[in-house]
Amino acid sequence: MNSTAPKKLLRKTTLIALGTIGLMGLGISTASAHVTVDASSTAENSYSLLSFSIPHGCDGSATTKIAISLPENINDATPTVNPNWTVSKLTEKLAQPKTLENGSKISERTSQVIYTAKVPLSAELRDALVLSLKLPEGVGSQLNFPVLQSCVKGQTNWSNLVKAGQDHDAVQDPAPSITLTAASSGEHGETAAAHTPAADQQSSPLPGWIGLGAGLLALVLSGVALFLVRKTRS
């Protein structure tokens, strides 16, 4: 019996296990590489909490500022306090004054909400910024929230629109977006404001389960390799 056979078998099995883990890890990093948004409600005319995930810096450089642009059919947003950031709003004049549902008129709207880091956010760390706002009408409409991420060195403009049916991960620097859905009972007016914010995509349990699965697969493959080696030697 060739004494090198068990070693070759063990080496091959180990490489398979490591390759599987590497591919799974690559899938996780690819999915989590973008600035994304998750909404507590996507129902038209409802109040929603939008959580913007900031998963990394700009090519290894720490993040200093996040400017979130609001769609033209949204008048304002209330930023949630984050102790790591200061926040301000940028407004713009409306071409024509707008009458709100309560009868009041406005001549300007909030066009951007700007978070400035008190201390630059390390590229190896992540954070989430939350806005409270009322969604407009339009079931099936896509609302885009371009985000300009400024860093100590360089910036990334997450502004490329993802078309309907297009793979979000296939678009370079895609703009975070949500699609409006039909309202169900309890999703109108102030009642929707009580919804808890949905966890952003990076907090989804899916990557955790994938990582656990990769670990278990590696353990099983290693066990098989050890069993075959012992059986060959015996």
Side-chain angles (χ1 to χ4, degrees):
M1 178 70 67
N2 187 350
S3 60
T4 62
K7 294 181 179 180
K8 290 182 178 179
L9 179 61
L10 179 59
R11 186 183 304 113
K12 183 177 181 180
T13 307
T14 302
L15 288 174
I16 293 174
L18 292 175
T20 302
I21 295 173
L23 288 174
M24 289 185 173
L26 179 61
I28 294 173
S29 63
T30 300
S32 64
H34 302 153
V35 171
T36 56
V37 62
D38 199 13
S40 63
S41 171
T42 57
E44 63 172 354
N45 286 324
S46 69
Y47 285 87
S48 183
L49 293 170
L50 302 186
S51 180
F52 292 83
S53 174
I54 315 300
H56 57 71
C58 308
D59 294 327
S61 182
T63 301
T64 57
K65 185 182 296 184
I66 294 292
I68 304 170
S69 294
L70 302 182
E72 291 184 356
N73 51 354
I74 291 180
N75 300 319
D76 194 16
T78 301
T80 299
V81 173
N82 185 314
N84 301 319
W85 308 74
T86 59
V87 63
S88 61
K89 293 181 180 182
L90 183 65
T91 60
E92 65 178 10
K93 292 286 185 181
L94 297 175
Q96 297 290 336
K98 182 185 296 187
T99 302
L100 303 181
E101 293 179 356
N102 60 10
S104 62
K105 292 185 178 182
I106 59 173
S107 59
E108 62 181 22
R109 62 178 287 271
T110 299
S111 59
Q112 278 190 339
V113 178
I114 302 170
Y115 281 88
T116 302
K118 295 179 180 178
V119 176
L121 176 66
S122 171
E124 288 74 34
L125 300 178
R126 63 175 299 280
D127 207 340
L129 306 175
V130 183
L131 302 180
S132 173
L133 50 80
K134 185 176 182 181
L135 300 177
E137 295 181 343
V139 175
S141 299
Q142 179 174 296
L143 298 181
N144 301 296
F145 297 84
V147 173
L148 180 60
Q149 179 183 15
S150 299
C151 299
V152 174
K153 294 182 179 179
Q155 59 181 206
T156 303
N157 191 10
W158 303 92
S159 61
N160 291 324
L161 303 186
V162 181
K163 299 179 181 179
Q166 191 175 14
D167 182 5
H168 186 274
D169 292 332
V171 178
Q172 183 177 2
D173 303 337
S177 65
I178 63 173
T179 300
L180 296 178
T181 58
S184 59
S185 59
E187 287 191 309
H188 286 287
E190 297 295 338
T191 56
H195 290 179
T196 56
D200 60 82
Q201 292 181 9
Q202 310 316 313
S203 299
S204 167
L206 181 59
W209 282 110
I210 293 176
L212 178 60
L216 291 175
L217 178 60
L219 182 61
V220 171
L221 291 175
S222 297
V224 171
L226 181 60
F227 171 76
L228 292 175
V229 170
R230 289 179 176 177
K231 184 176 181 180
T232 304
R233 288 178 176 176
S234 61

